[in-house]
Amino acid sequence: MKELANLLGYRESVKVFDATIRDGGLVNDFFFTDEFVRELYQANLKAGVDYMEVGYKASKEMFDVKKFGKWKFCDDEDIAKVIGDKNPALKLAAMADVGRCDYKNDIRNRCDSMLDCIRVATYVNTIPSAIDMIEDSKNKGYEVTCNIMAISTAQESDVKQALDMLCQSPVDVIYIVDSFGSLYPEQIERIAGLYTEYGSKYNKKIGMHAHNNQQLAFANTIEAVGDGVDWLDATYAGMGRGAGNCSMENLISFLRNPKYKLYPVIEFIQNYMIPLKEKGAQWGFDLQYLMTGVLNQHPRTAIAFTKEKRNDFTNFYHEIVAQD
């Protein structure tokens, strides 16, 4: 059972990380208006959010710039144009996927960039490449996190080996990532215990990035808080790929630190997130996402089901069970 102080008190070490543009960009191919991003930045400042992820550092050789909005690539000139003068109270971050970015050329030295933090995304089997990216970003002056994706499909022995390798790198934060939204709080408790064991040994912070396929993103995030995880990802109105993420409004409401303010989050959702949905952007819990989460499968089939406006849920269930 959790110590009551872990849930009713607050730790100064907790950091709130807004991933709305980056994870939410997977919903609309990163076609956010400049006004949306600018106002989100201001909302995060008012709400006391610590970091804002403005998108990906994706390779323009691999991805067609005509098919994606600019937040797929996060050019520093675009960030500067939209954000303007940066307030040091809110740090900016971008994600770099192993094998999908030209990090040596596209990620500038921190002194020449609007970014403060690079988030390296990797699978267990690409840890050596992730470490090279981590070292490159640290040498350029950035804070660096590493998100180990799809850990629900990895062997625990492989996760331990990955943690041991990462902890000997200069990475600052290592994230638990429930990519498929398949994990339960009891599992998060055990996984967080493993991650924090390595983190304590090597002086690394641990983060949590949850998906909402089983409507457990918020529950898993607060479970992680109680288990000593400090860096917490959330998105406004839970916007994110498929079923979405832990919602910022839930997380800010839960955290007891008086630096975090709920009203700016509610205001932004009213003024920008609800209109975004009304214009056709689709995300959030639905039955097809529950099914892929329960089966511990990537949600790509559920996303396709949604885009095709299907409602034959029983047929879909038979289809994905056959793939399992």
Side-chain angles (χ1 to χ4, degrees):
M1 181 170 294
K2 300 291 172 296
E3 290 291 337
L4 193 59
N6 283 355
L7 299 179
L8 295 184
Y10 69 87
R11 299 194 304 272
E12 289 287 350
S13 55
V14 165
K15 304 295 182 187
V16 174
F17 209 111
D18 170 36
T20 305
I21 300 299
R22 200 274 308 166
D23 213 322
L26 297 170
V27 173
N28 66 352
D29 291 329
F30 303 91
F31 285 110
F32 295 100
T33 66
D34 290 356
E35 178 188 353
F36 183 99
V37 177
R38 188 179 299 114
E39 290 303 315
L40 178 58
Y41 179 79
Q42 293 301 322
N44 279 323
L45 275 173
K46 294 173 185 175
V49 170
D50 300 286
Y51 290 79
M52 175 177 167
E53 191 174 34
V54 291
Y56 280 99
K57 275 289 190 183
S59 167
K60 293 179 182 178
E61 295 295 321
M62 295 183 65
F63 297 94
D64 187 346
V65 295
K66 296 178 181 177
K67 294 182 179 179
F68 298 94
K70 56 192 168 190
W71 308 107
K72 176 79 170 178
F73 309 100
C74 286
D75 290 340
D76 282 286
E77 292 78 10
D78 289 329
I79 302 171
K81 179 182 176 181
V82 174
I83 301 298
D85 292 334
K86 193 171 68 169
N87 189 320
L90 176 59
K91 294 182 178 180
L92 298 180
M95 179 169 281
D97 263 336
V98 169
R100 298 178 181 176
C101 63
D102 182 12
Y103 60 95
K104 290 189 183 295
N105 295 311
D106 289 343
I107 298 177
R108 300 175 178 175
N109 289 327
R110 183 178 181 181
C111 61
D112 299 321
S113 175
M114 290 286 288
L115 299 171
D116 303 285
C117 177
I118 298 298
R119 306 234 283 177
V120 174
T122 183
Y123 292 100
V124 165
N125 65 334
T126 54
I127 291 295
S129 295
I131 290 174
D132 190 64
M133 293 171 65
I134 290 165
E135 291 174 345
D136 181 77
S137 294
K138 285 299 290 186
N139 288 337
K140 290 172 178 173
Y142 293 96
E143 295 178 63
V144 185
T145 79
C146 185
N147 292 27
I148 311 176
M149 299 181 291
I151 59 163
S152 60
T153 63
Q155 297 291 327
E156 184 170 323
S157 58
D158 292 338
V159 174
K160 287 180 177 179
Q161 181 63 40
L163 288 172
D164 192 58
M165 293 171 68
L166 284 173
C167 282
Q168 294 181 64
S169 80
V171 73
D172 299 294
V173 187
I174 302 172
Y175 264 85
I176 301 164
V177 184
D178 183 14
S179 300
F180 302 162
S182 64
L183 298 173
Y184 296 95
E186 294 81 1
Q187 293 171 290
I188 295 297
E189 179 180 28
R190 181 176 57 80
I191 293 166
L194 175 64
Y195 277 58
T196 55
E197 177 186 343
Y198 278 87
S200 297
K201 179 179 177 181
Y202 291 96
N203 195 30
K204 307 293 184 182
K205 292 290 187 181
I206 305 301
M208 180 70 205
H209 182 90
H211 280 261
N212 205 38
N213 297 64
Q214 300 187 81
Q215 299 196 88
L216 290 171
F218 176 54
N220 284 338
T221 300
I222 62 174
E223 170 64 43
V225 175
D227 296 323
V229 171
D230 280 330
W231 284 49
L232 311 173
D233 282 16
T235 63
Y236 282 65
M239 186 182 188
R241 183 199 65 192
N245 303 89
C246 174
S247 72
M248 184 66 75
E249 56 272 27
N250 277 122
L251 184 59
I252 293 293
S253 299
F254 167 76
L255 294 172
R256 302 302 192 262
N257 190 332
K259 72 167 283 193
Y260 299 121
K261 305 291 191 297
L262 177 62
Y263 182 79
V265 178
I266 294 172
E267 186 177 40
F268 185 83
I269 291 171
Q270 172 185 286
N271 294 339
Y272 290 93
M273 302 306 297
I274 293 173
L276 196 64
K277 275 205 163 187
E278 289 173 343
K279 291 176 183 176
Q282 286 185 286
W283 74 88
F285 172 81
D286 213 333
L287 195 54
Q288 60 270 29
Y289 296 118
L290 169 70
M291 295 183 217
T292 58
V294 168
L295 293 172
N296 194 21
Q297 292 183 3
H298 194 288
R300 62 175 63 91
T301 53
I303 293 169
F305 179 95
T306 304
K307 287 182 177 179
E308 293 164 10
K309 299 185 182 328
R310 291 174 59 182
N311 59 10
D312 55 329
F313 294 101
T314 52
N315 287 337
F316 177 69
Y317 183 74
H318 287 307
E319 290 168 12
I320 62 174
V321 166
Q323 296 175 18
D324 201 34

